Structure formats: C-alpha cells, structure tokens
Amino acid sequence: IMAADPDHLLRGDDAPPTLPLLPVRNIVLFPGVVLPVTVTRKKSVKLVRKAYAADKLLGVVAQLNPDADEPATDELHTVGTLARILKLLEQPDGQITIILQGQVRFTIEEQLGFSPLVARVSYFPEVALNPEVPGEFGLLQALREAATKVLELTPEIPMEARAMLDGIQSPAFLTHFLSSNVQLDLPAKQRPLQPPDPPPPALSPIL
C-alpha cells in the first residue's frame, strides 16, 4: 500500500539524527509504503512502545541473519528506512502489531546503544527526474507502466492509487513501490533500498 502523498513524507533535513532501531526478519520497508509488522521480541516491544509514546519514529532495518535473536548493528544491513508508526495494536499474548509508513532511507553511521538499539544515522535525498528531458521522461513512464501493472495484478490495493502514480516524479519512489509488491528474496528486496554507486571520476586527458 502506498502513502497517500509521497510529498508529505519526512525528508532527511527534518528527520532526527539518532534513531531507535527495530531489527526485522525477512522484511524490507520502503519509503512511501505502508506495512504491518508483528513485533514479538520483548526488547523490540519495549522499544516500539517507547517510540509510539514519543514522536512515533523509529528506524527499520533488515537483519543479515534472520536467526539472530538480539542483533547488534554489525548484524544488520547498513541501510534502512525511517518509519512513522501509524497505529499500534495490542495482542492478547503480549505481542504487538504496528502499522508502519516508510519515510526516508538512511545509513547507519554509529551504534550508540544496545538496549535499546540506538544509532546515529545519515539520510539519503530522493532525487526527482526532470520530465522535460526525453531520456528521463521515458524512464519515468516505463516505471509508471510497470507500477500500473502491479496494481492491476494486486486487487487488494485500492485502484485510486493508480491516479496518484501520474503525479509522482521520483523514480526511487516508483522503484520502491514495485519492489515492495513483487515476490523477491531478502537480498533482492534490499538492493533497491541501497543508494546508487557514485559515477567513476572522469579521466584527465593525456597531453
């Protein structure tokens, strides 16, 4: 499920420089995507409740090893997503289910605490394409067409979301939407979350 308007998501300039981190197994949360997550570990339940009572923000990061019960930051992927907790649902067995909305991607810079897991992070800007440039316009249209096909094949997603696709100028957001709605293993889902590699430096001419 997509956010109602990706322009209303938090950006890195408005996001906190330190975050409590919620390690998740076999899940990748993307910016602009709404996802339910069931939290079972006692430390994670405590972390979520504390975040929900404060600013409702936390970092969601996939574990490298899904079998690790109390992973440190070196057992997590280095790139995660800032999430806003939209709703917290208490379960009779003490577990909780939270509805998360992905906001902006970040990379973990330094672990500041283990219990709860807290880290200093830095955020990635989401770059919009310029539709006036022919090559960029073609890429954007191709991504929109692929996203529309996903909507047609996923009846549980409201069809109103299709109209919103026409106004999106962010290739990253469209890529995140596609990645979250196709069946991929964890490494393949994590890959679109990573920032692109910087271009190689230009070679100086030989005189």
Side-chain angles (χ1 to χ4, degrees):
I1 301 174
M2 290 189 296
D5 187 348
D7 291 335
H8 291 168
L9 301 178
L10 278 176
R11 301 185 185 276
D13 292 343
D14 303 318
T18 61
L19 287 176
L21 299 182
L22 177 65
V24 291
R25 298 181 173 103
N26 302 316
I27 294 174
V28 178
L29 176 66
F30 294 90
V33 172
V34 176
L35 187 71
V37 175
T38 298
V39 183
T40 61
R41 289 177 280 206
K42 290 182 178 181
K43 287 186 178 180
S44 294
V45 169
K46 183 178 179 180
L47 179 145
V48 167
R49 286 189 173 130
K50 184 175 180 180
Y52 191 71
D55 56 8
K56 295 181 172 58
L57 297 176
L58 48 75
V60 177
V61 191
Q63 296 181 198
L64 292 168
N65 176 11
D67 295 327
D69 194 48
E70 294 186 5
T73 53
D74 60 356
E75 298 173 284
L76 304 174
H77 284 274
T78 57
V79 176
T81 300
L82 172 67
R84 185 184 299 279
I85 306 172
L86 301 180
K87 187 176 292 187
L88 187 152
L89 305 172
E90 298 279 357
Q91 305 296 338
D93 58 3
Q95 300 180 9
I96 58 176
T97 296
I98 49 178
I99 310 300
L100 299 176
Q101 183 189 61
Q103 301 292 312
V104 62
R105 296 175 294 167
F106 64 80
T107 185
I108 298 172
E109 298 290 351
E110 180 186 8
Q111 180 173 329
L112 301 177
F114 182 75
S115 183
L117 197 58
V118 178
R120 180 173 59 85
V121 301
S122 58
Y123 296 95
F124 302 124
E126 302 293 354
V127 180
L129 290 180
N130 182 357
E132 302 299 323
V133 178
E136 294 189 359
F137 178 78
L139 173 60
L140 198 61
Q141 285 298 99
L143 286 169
R144 283 199 188 115
E145 289 173 6
T148 299
K149 289 179 180 179
V150 170
L151 289 175
E152 292 172 350
L153 296 172
T154 314
E156 61 269 20
I157 298 178
M159 292 310 295
E160 292 83 356
R162 184 183 301 178
M164 190 189 72
L165 292 176
D166 294 333
I168 296 174
Q169 301 299 321
S170 168
F173 184 84
L174 287 169
T175 302
H176 295 160
F177 169 70
L178 289 169
S179 300
S180 65
N181 285 282
V182 295
Q183 297 298 318
L184 298 171
D185 59 17
L186 184 62
K189 272 188 174 288
Q190 181 71 24
R191 201 170 297 124
L193 202 66
Q194 305 289 135
D197 294 329
L203 297 177
S204 302
I206 300 176
L207 301 177

